[in-house]
Amino acid sequence: MNVSLLPPPPPLQAGAFARRRQRLMAGLANNAAVLIPGAQLKVRSADTEYPFRQASDFHYLTGFPEPDALLVLLPGHEGGEAILFCLERDPDMERWTGRRIGAERAMAEYGVDQAFENAARDVELPQLLAGRTNWYLALDDSDAMALAKSLRVKLTSRRETDSPIVLSDMAEILHEQRLIKSDEELSLLRYAAHISARAHCRAMASARPGLMEYQLQAELEHEFRWLGANGGAYDSIVASGNNACVLHYIENDAPLRAGDLVLIDAGAEYQLYAGDITRTFPVNGRFTEPQRALYEVVLGAQQAALDAVRPGTTLPAIHALVQRHLTEGLLALGLLEGELEDCLAHGACRRFYPHATSHWLGLDVHDVGGYTKNGKPRRLEAGMALTIEPGLYIPDLPDIPEEYRGIGIRIEDDVVVTPSGGEVLTSQVPSQVADIEQLMARGRAI
Ligand code: GLY
Ligand code: MN
Ligand code: MN
């Protein structure tokens, strides 16, 4: 392991969440109400549930970690603008299913102005919303829509409003806000990236022929949890040999074979912020010549893309740069034929590189925020976080030169746009051939 451990960032304070709520409310129409339900527990089988994961929008505005909660924002409301509904304290239930925060502590520790237990929703919610005619919620969230519809029926049947209630999409406004990360968020993203990087180094150093893909997954996920991450930000992909050509391969149940590459795409979720790293390396610690040749093509494209990250550029411009590098490399290796400009015009490299180069990164691994603005590709701004993840996936088909068949390579790093360029958060995991081989040689010596 060549990554020394950094200290974790301080936890976010209640004031950080309050500032986010203020910013959101500042952009709303008059007479607004915002309704944001938190996540609910989901049944896994019989009476077991999936591990609870708070809804990202709700977390962004509250930091409140329990299921079945609801945030209501009422700009200008005299009794307080931020109102939380949460699970009731219940000593019998808490004995079985865990301690609950309750309304009293929610106010004291999470900085909301008012808090009620969920049992009070039927009485309190219609009163709070009376007279508010512009309701903001996520229109694609079935829980939020069901709540809004039932409240609207209640309010109109009681004639507590005579003007129509307008439902507007809260997502667009809130997701614009989430797209630009604050300094506090960047510290959390850096730490998620750091844990992810340590985990990748650990898996790389542990790899050897005869292990199973899931044993490398265990190395990664051990490191995630050991360093305080919730676990993975998504299902870890450990794809050896031809499995790497399946983009979302998650079976991870094949043996690692000498002479194959293994592609690992995995990232930690730390305080709900995601890391997202991919590295591809030889199972036995040494690239073969054809593997190295293809790998250097992807690495060159990735380096060019990382260097291109700066305010003012766009993701399609970076993607075009990657496609140019990959196409040049594929022509040089004989995997494509023809003139460079013709190949680019026809998108010839899509056969080997079918996905995008980047996505936003944050509380969600494929984070929110529009990819276009006013109908045009959005220009990068300082504080945006994104991935750079070119790859080549060469099918095992007769028209492909034999030495390249069934090789899949992706190299993915996490980057924050700074005022003058990009800060790569994940450079602690080697991506140069010599550095990978050196780390693996050290790992095999242990
Ligand atoms: N791990 C999913 C992605 O790279 O987008
Ligand atoms: Mn990614
Ligand atoms: Mn990834």
Side-chain angles (χ1 to χ4, degrees), residues 234 265 276-278 359 361 365-366 387 389 410 412 414:
Y234 51 92
D265 183 345
D276 185 7
I277 300 180
T278 307
H359 54 79
L361 183 72
V365 64
H366 292 173
T387 63
E389 49 180 304
R410 180 164 62 256
E412 176 176 27
D414 303 342

Side-chain angles (χ1 to χ4, degrees), residues 8-327:
L12 287 185
Q13 302 297 308
F17 297 99
R19 284 194 292 280
R20 295 172 185 176
R21 296 193 293 267
Q22 288 302 332
R23 261 194 67 199
L24 175 65
M25 285 190 277
L28 305 182
N30 282 339
N31 232 359
V34 181
L35 297 169
I36 304 187
Q40 302 190 343
L41 278 169
K42 291 193 173 59
V43 172
R44 181 175 179 277
S45 79
D47 57 358
T48 66
E49 283 120 6
Y50 287 103
F52 179 69
R53 201 303 187 159
Q54 188 54 278
S56 297
D57 285 340
F58 179 88
H59 172 78
Y60 180 80
L61 294 169
T62 65
F64 193 74
E66 290 184 355
D68 291 326
L70 168 71
L71 176 68
V72 180
L73 296 177
L74 300 174
H77 182 243
E78 278 194 3
E81 294 179 313
I83 300 123
L84 186 81
F85 290 85
C86 61
L87 289 170
E88 53 283 354
R89 297 297 314 272
D90 179 340
D92 284 344
M93 278 300 290
E94 287 180 54
R95 194 170 169 200
W96 288 93
T97 60
R99 297 183 183 93
R100 295 176 178 179
I101 293 164
E104 213 171 294
R105 271 183 59 209
M107 283 208 291
E109 294 173 22
Y110 291 85
V112 289
D113 302 310
Q114 276 187 287
F116 300 99
E117 296 187 337
N118 283 334
R121 281 193 193 197
D122 282 352
V123 173
E124 297 294 337
L125 269 177
Q127 288 179 17
L128 288 165
L129 291 167
R132 301 262 164 181
T133 50
N134 281 310
W135 293 8
Y136 289 84
L137 60 154
L139 299 180
D140 60 356
D141 175 342
S142 54
D143 291 341
M145 284 300 282
L147 175 70
K149 281 182 188 160
S150 76
L151 280 167
R152 187 155 65 170
V153 168
K154 263 187 206 148
L155 283 167
T156 40
S157 65
R158 289 186 200 171
R159 296 184 188 283
E160 278 165 2
T161 178
D162 47 12
S163 15
I165 290 165
V166 179
L167 302 187
S168 301
D169 196 12
M170 186 266 325
E172 226 170 280
I173 304 168
L174 183 57
H175 294 173
E176 280 297 292
Q177 192 174 325
R178 278 180 53 191
L179 181 56
I180 309 286
K181 275 67 182 176
S182 66
D183 288 345
E184 293 142 333
E185 288 186 287
L186 291 180
S187 298
L188 294 170
L189 267 176
R190 270 187 208 104
Y191 204 66
H194 176 60
I195 295 176
S196 309
R198 296 249 320 178
H200 273 263
C201 290
R202 182 182 172 117
M204 206 182 266
S206 310
R208 59 207 66 197
L211 289 183
M212 302 296 285
E213 291 168 339
Y214 55 72
Q215 291 177 308
L216 293 192
Q217 178 184 0
E219 295 289 347
L220 290 160
E221 294 176 6
H222 168 95
E223 197 72 7
F224 291 168
R225 202 67 186 110
W226 185 262
L227 294 177
N230 309 336
Y234 51 92
D235 290 333
S236 302
I237 296 169
V238 182
S240 61
N242 200 0
N243 294 335
C245 295
V246 179
L247 296 179
H248 289 164
Y249 173 85
I250 52 169
E251 288 85 349
N252 301 350
D253 58 1
L256 304 180
R257 293 183 317 194
D260 278 350
L261 295 178
V262 55
L263 178 157
I264 298 184
D265 183 345
E269 181 175 274
Y270 184 75
Q271 296 195 10
L272 276 66
Y273 284 82
D276 185 7
I277 300 180
T278 307
R279 288 293 185 268
T280 311
F281 52 91
V283 166
N284 64 2
R286 302 287 294 185
F287 285 85
T288 65
E289 273 319 306
Q291 288 167 350
R292 177 196 300 263
L294 265 179
Y295 186 88
E296 294 286 2
V297 171
V298 180
L299 188 63
Q302 208 231 5
Q303 195 55 56
L306 290 171
D307 291 345
V309 173
R310 67 177 65 92
T313 190
T314 65
L315 297 187
I318 293 173
H319 187 56
L321 187 66
V322 162
Q323 286 178 316
R324 178 170 287 272
H325 271 262
L326 295 180
T327 305

